[in-house]
């Protein structure tokens, strides 16, 4: 049995003491409460810090087992570093994540974390809540397919380690708890997005993904699903063409969250949901193809976002649309050179069946703008390998026809450390994908591959503010951080949740 954690907030006067976490500032300075514990125990903490040459550097943890003279089995000291390493909410998240990482090997049913500033001032509730969210985000592990979840071969009887209560103790715990409530909902959205991306494609096909989305109805999200026959009627031949070689049915899932004013036009988020991308007849090389189980990272982010928004009862009207298909080679699969007519009426030459995400989005975007008349549209897609060449795994590519939208996304990215970098749209790039047999080609070749993909999408967007996030480098396989050690990152959920908050709720 793996451990399950709950996070609560309490007064700092009597922290439970099976395991205790305290903070230390630069040079190992302790706040008054931790200092008092140290003093009663004859300087056990100070001595341990000296012996270990521990200076309270940012996110460094000193783990003291059976500290003499205290009633704790274990005291962990977590380094705050200098003021500059702990000024933003994301710094507190990282600190919470680092503490959580150290706690994963700590036994005990109750773990207390004493939060105080070294100078004795009371920690602000937002920082404490961010710390707690960092803990929650770090708790994520994808082990549902492991029969030995402890990773402990000696634990033959599978001893239950069960539920662990993490108690965050500080003055102003009530305000911290209040600030944490929406953050918990957001973290749950992130966990969902990570689960969807991590889950292999034999287990999470289009049907299974759609039923995961349907589960959001329990939170008050209305979920409608278009089946293939519905999409046929609407003329979505671009999306359906991708799905043609798969035995899994294509689905277009529409999630509605109505938290804003009745008449207010909704914000729309659209996600690429290719549950597996073999490349189709333009088949991909074998090496690394398994990563394409994550080619629904855009759809996962949109679904996780809807969960977050509903979970924290966001005051905004939001629509999430995800195009779910599987791209397989088959006797029925579409061929390179095929021409398909999209819902918009534009014909597309499918020169490469591996440039499938843009075909799915072409119809999903068109449908979304026609049907819902949103205030703006933002799509997310693991769209191109080229964006990884451009930006690596640290920033997502951002394209937009609207400077304000782009700036707001950049701002939300900085605030959440889910960073985006704007790349250009330009008629000169657009020309590259002019069709020869049809209206538009689905690839413009290797040069500027992420840009020409964005230009393709723009042809399916009319006069409304729109932004496209190419998250191929950030949705999975991005560097491990203090708040995520899993392959899937859940990228996009926190970014867009913050974007919605800044636009509608501030
Ligand atoms: N899903 C891939 C893009 C991708 C690559 C995402 C690596 C994550 C990691 C996409 O469908 C694709 O195959 N794009 C092609 C486009 C090309 C054929 C024009 C690419 O990037 O090579
Ligand atoms: Mn592809
Ligand atoms: Zn793809």
């Amino acid at each position: 049995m793996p451990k399950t954690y709950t996070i609560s907030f309490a007064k700092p006067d009597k922290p439970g003491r099976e395991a205790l976490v305290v903070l230390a500032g630069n040079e190992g300075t302790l706040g008054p409460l931790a200092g008092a514990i140290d003093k009663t125990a004859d300087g056990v903490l100070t001595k341990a810090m000296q012996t270990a040459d521990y200076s309270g550097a940012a996110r460094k943890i000193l783990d003291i087992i059976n500290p003499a003279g205290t009633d704790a089995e274990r005291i962990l000291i977590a380094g705050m570093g200098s003021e500059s390493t702990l000024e933003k909410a994301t710094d507190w998240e990282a600190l919470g994540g680092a503490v959580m990482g150290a706690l994963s090997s700590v036994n005990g049913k109750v773990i207390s974390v004493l939060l105080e500033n070294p100078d004795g001032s009371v920690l602000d509730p937002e920082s404490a809540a961010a710390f707690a969210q960092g803990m929650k985000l770090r708790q994520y592990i994808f082990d549902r397919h492991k029969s030995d979840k402890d990773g402990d071969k000696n634990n033959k009887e599978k001893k239950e380690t069960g539920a662990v209560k993490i108690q965050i103790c500080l003055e102003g715990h009530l305000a911290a708890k209040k600030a944490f409530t929406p953050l918990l909902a957001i973290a749950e959205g992130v966990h969902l997005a990570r689960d969807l991306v991590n889950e292999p494609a034999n287990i999470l096909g289009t049907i299974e993904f759609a039923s995961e989305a349907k589960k959001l109805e329990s939170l008050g999200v209305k979920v409608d699903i278009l089946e293939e026959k519905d999409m046929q009627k609407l003329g979505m031949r671009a999306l359906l063409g991708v799905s043609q070689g798969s035995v899994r049915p294509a689905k277009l899932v529409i999630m509605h969250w109505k938290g804003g004013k009745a008449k207010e036009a909704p914000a729309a988020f659209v996600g690429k949901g290719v549950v597996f991308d073999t490349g189709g007849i333009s088949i991909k090389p074998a090496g690394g193809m398994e990563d394409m189980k994550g080619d629904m990272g855009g759809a996962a982010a949109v679904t996780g976002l809807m969960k977050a928004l509903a979970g924290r009862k966001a005051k905004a009207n939001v629509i999430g649309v995800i195009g779910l298909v599987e791209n397989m080679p088959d006797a029925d699969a579409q061929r390179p050179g095929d021409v398909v007519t999209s819902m918009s009426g534009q014909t597309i030459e499918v020169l490469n069946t591996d440039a499938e995400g843009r075909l799915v989005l072409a119809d999903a975007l068109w449908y979304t703008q026609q049907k819902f008349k949103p205030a703006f549209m933002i799509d997310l897609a693991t769209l191109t390998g080229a964006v990884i060449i451009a930006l690596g795994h640290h920033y997502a590519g951002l394209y937009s026809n609207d400077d304000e939208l782009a700036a707001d996304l950049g701002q939300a990215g900085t605030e959440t450390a889910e960073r985006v970098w704007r790349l250009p749209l330009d008629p000169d790039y657009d020309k590259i994908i002019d069709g020869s047999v049809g209206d538009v080609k689905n690839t413009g070749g290797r040069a500027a591959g992420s840009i020409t993909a964005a230009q393709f999408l723009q042809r399916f967007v009319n006069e409304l503010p729109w932004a496209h996030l190419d998250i191929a480098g950030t949705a999975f396989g991005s560097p491990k951080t203090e708040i995520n050690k899993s392959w899937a990152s859940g990228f996009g959920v926190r970014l867009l949740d913050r974007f919605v908050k800044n636009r509608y709720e501030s």
Side-chain angles (χ1 to χ4, degrees), residues 422-460:
R422 193 175 183 182
L423 293 162
L425 292 164
D426 192 297
D428 281 340
Y429 290 117
D430 194 58
K431 258 190 276 178
I432 303 174
I433 52 166
D434 278 341
S436 44
V437 177
D439 298 334
V440 58
K441 302 189 284 203
N442 79 331
T443 143
R446 280 170 58 82
S450 174
I451 304 177
T452 53
Q455 294 290 165
F456 181 94
L457 299 181
Q458 195 177 15
R459 291 191 182 211
F460 298 87

Side-chain angles (χ1 to χ4, degrees), residues 272 274 277 279 284 291-292 295 327 352-358 382-386 388 442-445 449 470-473 476:
K272 167 181 173 180
V274 177
D277 179 15
K284 288 181 180 295
D291 281 0
M292 287 301 109
D295 206 20
N327 190 19
N352 189 319
T353 64
D354 196 13
E356 85 298 338
R358 61 199 79 183
T382 50
L383 202 63
T384 68
I388 308 177
N442 79 331
T443 143
D470 193 336
I471 60 170
F476 52 76

